[in-house]
Amino acid sequence: MKKVIMLLMLAVSISAQAQQAYSELRQKAQNTVNDANAQPLVKQISQFKLDALNYMAIKMREEMPDSTVYFLDKQAMAMDNFVNFYIEKLIESMQQPNAVQVKMIKMFMDVSYSNPLFNDKDKELTLAYYNRPECLTRFSLDTDWRKAATAIAHLYNIQ
């Protein structure tokens, strides 16, 4: 009986943590963007995350009003993982020839673009980062981040 109660408490704890993911990720990104001492590249990455999170929340209210906070949290965590994994791979590729770096960046961009969540017709908005070569995070805002994270994991043979 104690094991069942412990498992239920653990499940409630995990659920409560997941429900806070979107808010915590958004607050962390906002704090970094507002931090005058933050490195410019870190600010740029955080600005993308903040914009992606805001876009996601607005579109979900418009397009998926019956969706749950849990769904938004899962998307937010997947986006954060996707971007962090991209940065990790970008850093690893710095010792590689430029052609290898470009191929890796293009792969992440393609995965983001080819996994839309809302099929938003406003390409000027959704591709605002994607179409800017000076941006480090050249991803579509209209991305199903869970599918994109799964796709990129598959491409890197991560189980």
Side-chain angles (χ1 to χ4, degrees), residues 21-114:
Y22 172 85
S23 297
E24 288 178 12
L25 289 170
R26 189 182 179 290
Q27 188 61 51
K28 182 179 176 187
Q30 185 72 60
N31 289 345
T32 303
V33 167
N34 293 337
D35 183 357
N37 297 320
Q39 297 283 334
L41 284 177
V42 174
K43 275 188 170 187
Q44 188 183 94
I45 295 164
S46 293
Q47 185 65 59
F48 172 81
K49 288 181 179 183
L50 182 60
D51 290 344
L53 291 166
N54 287 336
Y55 171 83
M56 198 182 320
I58 290 167
K59 291 304 284 186
M60 285 183 70
R61 272 187 234 119
E62 291 174 2
E63 305 287 328
M64 305 166 73
D66 295 332
S67 63
T68 64
V69 172
Y70 183 74
F71 181 80
L72 181 63
D73 284 341
K74 288 292 190 180
Q75 285 291 325
M77 289 187 297
M79 181 275 300
D80 191 55
N81 290 336
F82 183 91
V83 172
N84 292 343
F85 185 65
Y86 166 72
I87 299 301
E88 177 185 322
K89 291 300 177 190
L90 191 61
I91 291 168
E92 287 176 8
S93 75
M94 294 183 90
Q95 303 300 324
Q96 301 291 322
N98 192 43
V100 173
Q101 291 177 27
V102 169
K103 182 179 177 183
M104 186 274 306
I105 292 167
K106 183 80 170 115
M107 182 174 60
F108 275 85
M109 290 173 63
D110 289 347
V111 166
S112 167
Y113 182 79
S114 63

Side-chain angles (χ1 to χ4, degrees), residues 123-138:
K123 296 301 180 194
E124 185 176 343
L125 172 65
T126 62
L127 300 178
Y129 284 89
Y130 189 91
N131 290 328
R132 289 177 41 207
E134 70 275 7
C135 283
L136 187 61
T137 49
R138 296 183 61 193

Side-chain angles (χ1 to χ4, degrees), residues 133-145:
E134 70 275 7
C135 283
L136 187 61
T137 49
R138 296 183 61 193
F139 309 126
S140 171
L141 292 176
D142 183 13
T143 297
D144 183 330
W145 295 105

